[in-house]
Amino acid sequence: MKNLGRIRKTRRRGGYFCPSLPVGALSPRMKSFLFRPLSLVLPVVALAFATPAHAQQPAESSAKVKIKEKKPKVSSKDEVVTITTSQGVIRLVLFDDTPLHKKNFLEKAKSGFYNGTTFHRVIDNFMIQGGDANSKDSDPTNDGMGKDNDPTIPAELGPGHRHEYGALAAARQGGPAGTPSSYSQFYLVENHSGTYFLDGAYTVYGQTIQGLDVIDKIAKVAKDSRDRPTTDVKMTMKVERLKKKKI
């Protein structure tokens, strides 16, 4: 192979080709390759220079696709609870950030649980209390006692709603702040200046939007030594879903 000389490239019109070599210096195998028909050689060359399939695929973008999260749709409506009594009508809205109390109260109001119960404890310049199932029976002495197996609701004091005039709050057994609420008994603040000394001790979960004067009337009815009205102040409840703009 020493007499073959240096291999060099020669440019011809149309592209680059291998330099010419003396035919006698080629081995039989090389001759068979170089002098075979172009129809057999070209596919081999094309295959050698073909781009691998995986290299033809565009590189995946490293940029992360931002997916817009759909925000929960805020309803334009809210439930309004209407309490009808012999003294007039009281309308309430409940707070969303006290969900346990709101859900429980609405379920009972919708089911008719409160229909026929009374405001069994009324104190002028303080509050009116009602919602005990015992107040439906003929025994006035057990009103406000509740049933032995009545469940309770965990206190929801976090939102910090205050005992404003007309506030709706949950009654409960005695004990420190955080004591669970009664599952049915509630009270409405009648003191026009509020009863703020109760803040942080009892769950406030709604507000009167109509009928503050009715609360005043109920607080002033004749009552006995137990603050129970001498004439029953019975109630019925209904729940309406209204547009917030109309509330």
Side-chain angles (χ1 to χ4, degrees):
M1 297 293 290
K2 292 182 180 180
N3 60 350
L4 295 181
R6 296 174 63 88
I7 297 176
R8 58 186 179 82
K9 291 182 180 179
T10 59
R11 182 169 184 174
R12 295 183 182 179
R13 185 175 300 174
Y16 287 92
F17 295 87
C18 293
S20 59
L21 295 174
V23 176
L26 300 177
S27 66
R29 188 175 180 180
M30 293 180 67
K31 289 178 182 179
S32 65
F33 177 81
L34 291 175
F35 295 102
R36 70 178 57 182
L38 286 176
S39 61
L40 297 178
V41 175
L42 290 179
V44 176
V45 175
L47 180 60
F49 288 92
T51 305
H54 67 273
Q56 295 177 359
Q57 297 176 356
E60 293 184 3
S61 174
S62 59
K64 294 182 178 179
V65 178
K66 293 184 178 180
I67 300 176
K68 292 184 179 180
E69 295 183 1
K70 291 184 178 180
K71 295 182 179 180
K73 188 176 181 180
V74 179
S75 176
S76 61
K77 295 184 178 182
D78 200 358
E79 286 93 352
V80 175
V81 179
T82 300
I83 304 176
T84 301
T85 74
S86 57
Q87 300 296 320
V89 172
I90 302 168
R91 303 181 79 207
L92 312 167
V93 291
L94 308 182
F95 300 140
D96 291 333
D97 53 8
T98 52
L100 300 179
H101 287 73
K102 179 176 181 176
K103 180 176 182 291
N104 177 72
F105 193 82
L106 288 176
E107 286 178 351
K108 285 180 171 50
K110 291 175 181 179
S111 70
F113 174 90
Y114 287 116
N115 294 344
T117 62
T118 71
F119 283 99
H120 61 269
R121 182 171 175 245
V122 300
I123 302 175
D124 190 19
N125 204 36
F126 182 32
M127 60 88 218
I128 60 175
Q129 181 177 334
D132 184 14
N134 288 342
S135 64
K136 293 182 180 182
D137 64 29
S138 59
D139 181 8
T141 63
N142 66 5
D143 292 359
M145 302 295 291
K147 304 291 185 183
D148 292 337
N149 59 348
D150 279 352
T152 57
I153 305 171
E156 294 179 291
L157 305 175
H161 297 298
R162 307 205 68 192
H163 282 75
E164 308 280 355
Y165 177 34
L168 168 67
R172 63 170 175 80
Q173 295 288 343
T179 298
S181 304
S182 165
Y183 96 122
S184 69
Q185 294 190 53
F186 63 92
Y187 61 92
L188 297 168
V189 175
E190 189 266 334
N191 189 305
H192 291 203
S193 299
T195 56
Y196 302 122
F197 63 92
L198 297 176
D199 289 351
Y202 295 79
T203 299
V204 176
Y205 61 99
Q207 180 64 39
T208 300
I209 58 171
Q210 181 182 332
L212 290 172
D213 60 323
V214 177
I215 296 175
D216 291 343
K217 290 178 183 179
I218 295 173
K220 290 176 171 57
V221 300
K223 57 189 179 181
D224 61 21
S225 59
R226 297 173 59 244
D227 294 318
R228 185 186 186 282
T230 54
T231 301
D232 287 349
V233 182
K234 293 186 178 183
M235 71 181 83
T236 59
M237 284 195 195
K238 69 176 182 178
V239 179
E240 300 173 279
R241 192 167 178 80
L242 304 176
K243 290 185 176 180
K244 292 180 179 179
K245 291 181 179 180
K246 292 184 177 181
I247 297 175

